[in-house]
Amino acid sequence: IMRIMVVGFVYKKTSFKTIKELLKNSAICMAISAIIIVGIVVMTIMNSITKSYHIYVMIGIASFSFFTFIRSIINYIKAKKEKYDVMILFRDINLIACIGSLLSLQRSMIGTFGDVTNRSSSLMEAIAGLAAVIFISLLAISTYKKSRRIDY
């Protein structure tokens, strides 16, 4: 949804009049994403929900996760030189997508190769989920603060 909002803003297809509105609404979507990740991590840990996949499916999931990771790192490096707020917002959205992809890879690997009932796997899932939520929350706060500083 966040990517659609940004692309629509760039091509003047959305109702956002200013970059300030776009950044504010994107920050809200980032905060909602963090809340959703908290819910997913808590539900999977409490209910030991996991699914075991075939090795070829795991290779596909890992390939996609590493592709999004590499793509987000490349976009981060490119956008670091940019001063345009929309490119920085794309960078942040790519980082959030990368985090979600890596969390799903971690969970599917635990389900396929590990023991779901093991406390260490639950602890690992909780720590990774907490780190993801903190990172996404910090991105949301910085995006919201950036929207407050913009005057145009």
Side-chain angles (χ1 to χ4, degrees):
I1 293 174
M2 289 184 280
R3 287 182 186 166
I4 294 170
M5 287 188 329
V6 174
V7 170
F9 176 78
V10 170
Y11 290 109
K12 310 286 189 249
K13 302 281 184 189
T14 61
S15 61
F16 301 123
K17 302 289 188 252
T18 62
I19 188 73
K20 184 174 186 169
E21 290 179 34
L22 178 68
L23 289 173
K24 184 178 174 185
N25 287 322
S26 296
I28 291 169
C29 287
M30 288 177 191
I32 291 170
S33 298
I35 292 169
I36 291 171
I37 288 176
V38 166
I40 291 171
V41 169
V42 167
M43 285 190 315
T44 55
I45 290 173
M46 298 303 280
N47 298 329
S48 295
I49 299 172
T50 189
K51 185 170 166 106
S52 179
Y53 295 104
H54 191 269
I55 189 71
Y56 296 125
V57 176
M58 283 304 303
I59 291 171
I61 293 171
S63 299
F64 176 75
S65 296
F66 291 127
F67 170 75
T68 58
F69 178 74
I70 292 169
R71 189 185 70 199
S72 67
I73 296 299
I74 289 170
N75 287 339
Y76 183 82
I77 292 169
K78 284 182 181 178
K80 198 170 186 177
K81 300 172 189 171
E82 293 281 334
K83 300 297 179 199
Y84 191 50
D85 292 326
V86 174
M87 289 300 294
I88 294 170
L89 188 58
F90 267 128
R91 175 195 70 189
D92 294 345
I93 292 169
N94 282 335
L95 287 174
I96 291 172
C98 174
I99 288 170
S101 176
L102 290 175
L103 283 175
S104 68
L105 173 66
Q106 175 190 6
R107 192 65 194 167
S108 60
M109 286 183 76
I110 288 172
T112 303
F113 303 118
D115 184 17
V116 180
T117 59
N118 191 357
R119 284 187 64 78
S120 63
S121 65
S122 297
L123 182 64
M124 182 176 64
E125 181 77 19
I127 291 172
L130 178 67
V133 167
I134 289 172
F135 184 73
I136 293 172
S137 299
L138 289 174
L139 281 176
I141 291 168
S142 71
T143 303
Y144 185 75
K145 283 184 178 181
K146 191 180 300 178
S147 76
R148 301 281 295 201
R149 286 192 301 247
I150 294 177
D151 294 330
Y152 53 92

